[in-house]
Amino acid sequence: MAGGIEIAFEPLTSRGSGGDLVVFVGDDLALSGAASEVLGRQGAELVARAAMSERFKGKAQSALSIPAPANVEADRLVVIGLGSEKDRAKLDWTTLGGFTAGKVGARKARVVLDWPGFAGSARDVADFSLGARLRSYGFDRYKTKKKDEDEDEATAALTLLTADPTAAETAAKDAAGVAEGVVLARNLVNEPPNVLYPEEYARRVSELTKLGVEVEILDLAQMKQLGMGALIAVAQGSAREPRLVIMRWNGGEPGEAPLALIGKGVVFDSGGISIKSAGGMEDMKGDMGGSAAVVGTLHALAARKAKANVIGAIGIVENMPDGNSYRPSDIVTSLSGQTIEVINTDAEGRLVLADVLWHIQSTYKPKAMIDLATLTGAIIVALGQDIAGLFSNDDDLSAKITAAGEAANEKVWRMPLIPAYDKAIDSKFADMKNTGGRHGGAATAAAFLKRYVNDVPWAHLDIAGVAMSSTPSEINRSWGAGWGVRLLDRLVRDNYER
Ligand code: BES
Ligand code: MN
Ligand code: ZN
């Protein structure tokens, strides 16, 4: 990983020298007591004059940078706007941390986390640190010539001055665990498939054992033994063997039914015999974004020792054209016993998930099951690139996921699951076919998955639009977003921890 960031916590009264000094103001440009203190009268006057001449109005997500006056122990002053009182009331601390880290870039900075009416808790300050960490992420593993002055990527050092540094530091440890989970997910999504083939992917996941996660890896022979005919069909055109990786984090009560998270891990989706067109095919290295979110979440939960039982299961395959590929018109038998007529080998994700869902629900009897998958282009047509599609058989689980998405600012939108979608995948020759035609493509894909879910609350997140090729944000400048880790971590924290 490029850049990176070091974050420390000190009291509001602490002083240092050099680097940036960051203070915050609302749209009245008033400084807090702590900010006035570090700036002194000279500094405060300079800020007021510079604001006037630069027409800086303290609006949310605006900033003013000026050389520091001699009385202030810093090289540069950065004044960050927080907007109106209303803006400040719905302040997103993670975004603010990202914005601040973006302004500071690769420098060293002291950040005075205080403003008139400041009401941040230790957890808010921790969220600020999370945003700063995520902003500093860059993926330059394969650049042999490193840029050393890249604003977003070189190492930064932030000292956050806050009223209760001890409490903030404790809360920030958990946030750092979550940040590591997101970074892990981003790295996995950004890696090319010649490096991250199924066996290597499984090996990387097995490193979670260092955090106390139990990791079980099933190889092709074991999957054949179990009868995972759907997953195996997808994998059979690839020179690389598939893997099924099951992660278990037992932080909850012994014997308590787990929450199961399931991810699509297609390391590269060429479409297979129904091959995709060449334009943009390189993006299909990110077709394992659902699995990356699951792995990142398990990392986060273990790193912060979440008091919950959570299982992660990811089906890792490569979808390739070959003399041994599965083909349109093939009929395969899934682990559930249900048969599937293959219409299009590019609708491969649902075949992989069908077997993983079935295996997990019958082996672990989870209390709820959530799958994440870059499943359809149709969800991108429907919702765009800033919100994921949610399909579910359970209103309560849907509400919990929606709320966690709002809290983490990884938003989801519930989509319908009506009998017509299920009907669309009936097959002339088998129990079902793997596509339901052009209409409602994301919904017929969800209806397919539903046939592999019995009596358990289940939700499917179609993350094709949000997992990769992401809209740049204050906390993400990476192609692979690591989308879902913060949502799932939040979901567990708010609903499944004792
Ligand atoms: N991995 C793709 C979906 C996708 C598309 C993800 C674009 C991210 C960006 C999936 O396997 C796929 O190819 N789906 C097909 C299904 C169709 C053949 C029924 C699609 O969406 O076109
Ligand atoms: Mn496909
Ligand atoms: Zn795919």
Side-chain angles (χ1 to χ4, degrees), residues 264 266 269-272 276 284 287 319 344-349 374-375:
K264 169 179 173 181
V266 176
D269 180 13
S270 68
K276 289 180 182 295
M284 285 302 113
D287 207 17
N319 187 21
N344 188 319
T345 63
D346 198 11
E348 84 298 339
T374 50
L375 203 63

Side-chain angles (χ1 to χ4, degrees), residues 93-143:
W93 288 81
T94 313
T95 300
L96 182 63
F99 182 80
T100 304
K103 288 295 159 203
V104 168
R107 298 180 193 81
K108 174 183 140 199
R110 282 178 302 132
V111 180
V112 184
L113 271 181
D114 193 32
W115 48 83
F118 179 93
S121 65
R123 187 162 268 174
D124 292 332
V125 176
D127 282 344
F128 183 98
S129 74
L130 171 63
R133 285 182 195 285
L134 295 180
R135 176 59 177 264
S136 74
Y137 172 86
F139 185 79
D140 69 351
R141 202 168 274 180
Y142 300 100
K143 296 269 195 196

Side-chain angles (χ1 to χ4, degrees), residues 147-160:
K147 292 182 256 172
D148 45 21
E149 255 310 305
D150 192 306
E151 272 284 295
D152 282 327
E153 295 189 4
T155 303
L158 294 187
T159 302
L160 306 184

Side-chain angles (χ1 to χ4, degrees), residues 1-2 138-144 146 187 191 204:
M1 183 183 122
F139 185 79
D140 69 351
R141 202 168 274 180
Y142 300 100
K143 296 269 195 196
T144 60
K146 315 268 181 209
N187 280 339
E191 280 284 14
R204 292 205 190 172

